[in-house]
Amino acid sequence: MVDSAEIEKLPLGDRLKKADHLARELSEHLRQAYLPKLTDLRAAAKIYDADDVSDQQILDQTMAVLQAEEFTAELYARLRLHLDSIKAEMTPMLFTDEPPASAANHAPEVDLEDVIDERN
């Protein structure tokens, strides 16, 4: 598993790209692996005839769902680390009352109130 300190060393753009990749991978895994396996298990569990569905089939399908669940949890944990890292860096930039440093250096060239007063 990737360490959060290692993730924080990456540039913000790389973390955003990796988080996007992980979110897509998680979505794809859920749609293509986890949910179909869960649906198969649910359908098999509703059949009460031992001739149609054996205990071994139920066990195999349950194990497949549990393995898919473990992979889902690992993917989510990796995604969460990236998202928390992005949030930690972006929160001070986005939710501060101070203007950005670049805005402080650029004074307005024209004061709109003066222009309006001159026209009246």
Side-chain angles (χ1 to χ4, degrees), residues 40-58:
D40 292 344
L41 175 61
R42 185 175 182 205
K46 288 183 177 183
I47 300 173
Y48 296 111
D49 189 2
D51 294 333
D52 291 336
V53 178
S54 69
D55 290 344
Q56 186 63 46
Q57 287 174 313
I58 295 292

Side-chain angles (χ1 to χ4, degrees), residues 1-87:
M1 175 152 275
V2 179
D3 186 17
S4 62
E6 189 177 312
I7 292 171
E8 290 175 3
K9 291 179 184 176
L10 294 173
L12 182 60
D14 290 347
R15 282 182 274 163
L16 287 167
K17 288 176 188 174
K18 184 66 175 179
D20 181 53
H21 172 77
L22 289 170
R24 289 174 189 266
E25 186 177 356
L26 179 60
S27 174
E28 193 173 300
H29 167 69
L30 289 172
R31 277 189 275 118
Q32 294 180 1
Y34 183 77
L35 291 177
K37 290 176 183 177
L38 194 58
T39 301
D40 292 344
L41 175 61
R42 185 175 182 205
K46 288 183 177 183
I47 300 173
Y48 296 111
D49 189 2
D51 294 333
D52 291 336
V53 178
S54 69
D55 290 344
Q56 186 63 46
Q57 287 174 313
I58 295 292
L59 177 63
D60 292 343
Q61 289 178 344
T62 302
M63 293 305 294
V65 169
L66 291 174
Q67 288 173 349
E69 170 62 29
E70 286 179 20
F71 185 72
T72 301
E74 289 173 15
L75 268 178
Y76 178 76
R78 289 172 44 206
L79 175 61
R80 188 80 249 162
L81 282 173
H82 282 79
L83 293 175
D84 288 343
S85 171
I86 292 165
K87 180 181 177 184

